[in-house]
Amino acid sequence: MNDKTISGFSKLSKSKKIDWIINTYLPKQEDAKKILERYWNSDEKLQQLHDEFIENTISNYYLPLGVAPNFLINNNMYAIPMAIEESSVVAAASKAAKFWLDRGGFKTSVISTTKIGQVHFMYQGDKTHLKTYFNNIKPQLLNAVKPLSKNMEKRGGGILDIELRDKTDDIPNYFQLHVSFETADAMGANFINSCLEQFAKTFKTEALNFEQFTAEEQQIEIVMSILSNYVPDCLVRAEVSCKVEELTENKTISAQEFANKFIQAVTIAEIEPFRAVTHNKGIMNGIDAVVLATGNDFRAVEAGVHAYASRNGSYSSLSHAKIENGIFTFWMEIPLALGTVGGLTNLHPLVKLALEMLGKPSAKELMQIIAVAGLAQNFAALRSLTTTGIQEGHMKMHLMNILNQFEANSEEKITLVNHFKTHAVSHSAVVEALEKLRQ
Ligand code: MEV
């Protein structure tokens, strides 16, 4: 223990927590309390709701919620809500949406919606005894979770299958109950984990009554029961295509040249992990922003998507592009485990609004919308990278951040935004222009 540790912190009132944090870690920061309080909501009920999302809340952390309009997806129009701090993301999505709006829009389909959970356990003994036990106990396992799965079944979900998997080649005595689930419009984490914990309990206790087991074999040791965020069978596809000659609006490069360069850029990301990670990061700029705005779990999505990007043994591009018979096609298949009911979706007022903006989508519809946001973002990034370079657009969007950093007033902002329409933006150029204006 030293003077920077505390026990019972979670039991202190919010104001005592703040006092302790400031006294202990921010003693020189005079404004600390004011800064924290400035982000509290004056609507007490709303503030309490946010306070109770997690433990030890001291304030709210704002991210901008933007909207990218003009998305045509399977002939329906969408304005896509995006929660993100990176300046150029919403602008890039909007630009890509507009570009493809004039070329038939995005086409999407859900390929599969299966989710996975596992009970990891240790068993020592004759493997055929374990197999017989598993086959005998399977109906009882399914029965034991009926109280949990009844509601899910009403909504079209439930348990699809339970397999016994032998992993003893990797770890001695290690086996799994590998369970597949359909969770309909829920992301399903709680449902899956509750079912798995019940499977584990029944599996362990009933082993004690299984006559074919020896005394040692009866002692099944459960290690853990948890869903997997790797969901390669919860897949969605998004695609855009048009004639090659329709590809360009940019006079400096021909449509064919642009298509070729674009495909080269994608091919590089397919074979070069250093590039693939950045390429896919651009895709996740779009995906995470909508995942967050719709109250979904972006860590789960991130983990699952990147695992999928390495499924063939080397980290690779999630998107692909080709030209066939004069048609340019750009597409992506990605795993997305999402929910439009449960979790934050019914709790956070902005999440509710975001889902309403999207027409209260089912989880399958949301998978398609979010895949499109990723593909659009990737298209916008590759388009800039292979033509003007990324910094031109990026720095234009970053201009406001630099102006805010130097506390430019509204008049200065208008003047300098105008000025930088025709001048290259760099940190030093903005500072120089601002200083000149202020002289
Ligand atoms: C920046 O957030 C994302 C990009 O680096 C993506 C890419 O390089 O494809 C522009």
Side-chain angles (χ1 to χ4, degrees):
M1 289 286 265
N2 62 36
D3 58 357
K4 290 206 164 155
T5 60
I6 184 169
S7 54
F9 183 71
S10 68
K11 294 190 185 72
L12 298 181
S13 68
K14 189 189 210 172
S15 127
K16 290 249 160 63
K17 281 176 189 145
I18 291 174
D19 288 345
W20 184 82
I21 276 287
I22 291 178
N23 290 336
T24 317
Y25 288 97
L26 298 160
K28 293 195 194 108
Q29 173 69 39
E30 281 167 21
D31 289 343
K33 194 161 190 171
K34 247 200 245 151
I35 294 171
L36 290 172
E37 286 178 0
R38 212 160 73 206
Y39 285 87
W40 288 359
N41 201 294
S42 55
D43 176 340
E44 270 177 38
K45 249 177 108 183
L46 193 67
Q47 186 51 58
Q48 191 184 347
L49 178 75
H50 283 72
D51 286 350
E52 289 173 1
F53 282 147
I54 59 167
E55 198 163 79
N56 297 345
T57 317
I58 53 172
S59 190
N60 306 307
Y61 184 96
Y62 289 0
L63 277 183
L65 177 66
V67 173
N70 295 322
F71 273 96
L72 180 63
I73 307 176
N74 297 342
N75 297 325
N76 295 313
M77 286 305 301
Y78 294 89
I80 300 187
M82 304 177 95
I84 185 148
E85 87 301 343
E86 190 173 327
S87 7
S88 53
V89 168
V90 177
S94 308
K95 235 171 142 181
K98 199 78 189 291
F99 182 94
W100 286 105
L101 176 64
D102 301 332
R103 292 162 178 81
F106 294 80
K107 299 283 179 280
T108 60
S109 57
V110 170
I111 297 166
S112 51
T113 55
T114 301
K115 286 156 191 163
I116 298 296
Q118 296 170 317
V119 177
H120 305 268
F121 68 95
M122 299 293 172
Y123 164 85
Q124 291 195 44
D126 187 331
K127 287 183 188 177
T128 57
H129 291 174
L130 181 64
K131 269 186 208 146
T132 316
Y133 171 61
F134 172 71
N135 289 330
N136 275 6
I137 197 77
K138 202 167 162 179
Q140 214 170 315
L141 291 177
L142 291 170
N143 224 13
V145 296
K146 270 275 171 267
L148 296 167
S149 61
K150 218 169 50 196
N151 258 342
M152 187 54 90
E153 278 164 21
K154 270 192 216 146
R155 292 193 268 131
I159 290 133
L160 302 176
D161 196 16
I162 315 179
E163 280 172 57
L164 173 68
R165 290 200 172 175
D166 180 344
K167 305 292 284 183
T168 53
D169 281 349
D170 299 316
I171 300 177
N173 309 322
Y174 170 40
F175 294 84
Q176 300 167 343
L177 296 181
H178 185 92
V179 190
S180 43
F181 296 85
E182 167 58 55
T183 60
D185 284 333
M187 191 254 191
N190 281 331
F191 168 66
I192 294 174
N193 289 335
S194 302
C195 288
L196 292 172
E197 287 185 6
Q198 183 57 57
F199 288 146
K201 214 185 230 170
T202 308
F203 196 68
K204 182 177 169 66
T205 27
E206 290 304 317
L208 300 171
N209 306 323
F210 188 61
E211 284 172 359
Q212 278 182 35
F213 275 158
T214 64
E216 190 185 31
E217 288 169 347
Q218 281 180 344
Q219 301 305 317
I220 286 175
E221 185 197 328
I222 304 292
V223 180
M224 60 188 161
S225 311
I226 188 73
L227 94 168
S228 171
N229 290 122
Y230 185 42
V231 281
D233 291 317
C234 187
L235 267 194
V236 57
R237 179 185 169 94
E239 176 184 309
V240 283
S241 65
C242 68
K243 289 186 186 144
V244 169
E245 64 257 31
E246 289 169 359
L247 261 182
T248 193
E249 303 162 313
N250 184 334
K251 299 275 176 327
T252 60
I253 178 170
S254 77
Q256 185 65 53
E257 220 182 318
F258 169 66
N260 292 345
K261 276 192 96 175
F262 191 98
I263 290 174
Q264 276 171 346
V266 175
T267 312
I268 289 169
E270 284 170 343
I271 60 103
E272 166 55 56
F274 277 97
R275 173 56 202 152
V277 171
T278 318
H279 178 98
N280 290 347
K281 187 276 184 185
I283 293 174
M284 299 316 286
N285 276 344
I287 290 183
D288 281 343
V290 195
V291 168
L292 255 181
T294 57
N296 275 280
D297 182 342
F298 63 91
R299 288 85 57 210
V301 166
E302 282 278 344
V305 164
H306 295 298
Y308 188 75
S310 339
R311 70 194 177 286
N312 297 323
S314 163
Y315 192 91
S316 176
S317 169
L318 291 160
S319 62
H320 308 281
K322 64 177 181 189
I323 299 173
E324 244 171 46
N325 305 321
I327 304 289
F328 168 85
T329 308
F330 177 47
W331 76 99
M332 182 173 78
E333 284 177 12
I334 49 160
L336 287 175
L338 302 170
T340 53
V341 298
L344 270 199
T345 57
N346 303 325
L347 274 179
H348 196 301
L350 281 176
V351 167
K352 270 203 229 170
L353 203 71
L355 287 168
E356 270 166 36
M357 199 187 293
L358 293 173
K360 296 196 181 164
S362 64
K364 279 187 182 174
E365 283 161 346
L366 188 60
M367 283 167 80
Q368 297 172 76
I369 294 166
I370 291 183
V372 163
L375 192 72
Q377 205 66 41
N378 193 210
F379 179 78
L382 294 181
R383 189 159 174 243
S384 300
L385 285 168
T386 55
T387 55
T388 57
I390 204 75
Q391 281 311 86
E392 185 183 292
H394 209 81
M395 289 309 287
K396 276 235 156 82
M397 292 310 299
H398 192 52
L399 171 62
M400 202 47 78
N401 287 346
I402 307 174
L403 291 175
N404 281 330
Q405 191 186 334
F406 289 92
E407 296 180 354
N409 62 32
S410 318
E411 225 168 278
E412 289 170 336
K413 280 181 185 168
I414 294 169
T415 312
L416 291 178
V417 165
N418 254 332
H419 170 80
F420 282 105
K421 276 186 183 149
T422 49
H423 293 79
V425 180
S426 71
H427 195 272
S428 57
V430 177
V431 175
E432 207 174 294
L434 193 59
E435 276 171 359
K436 212 162 148 195
L437 197 66
R438 283 173 177 175
Q439 267 162 20

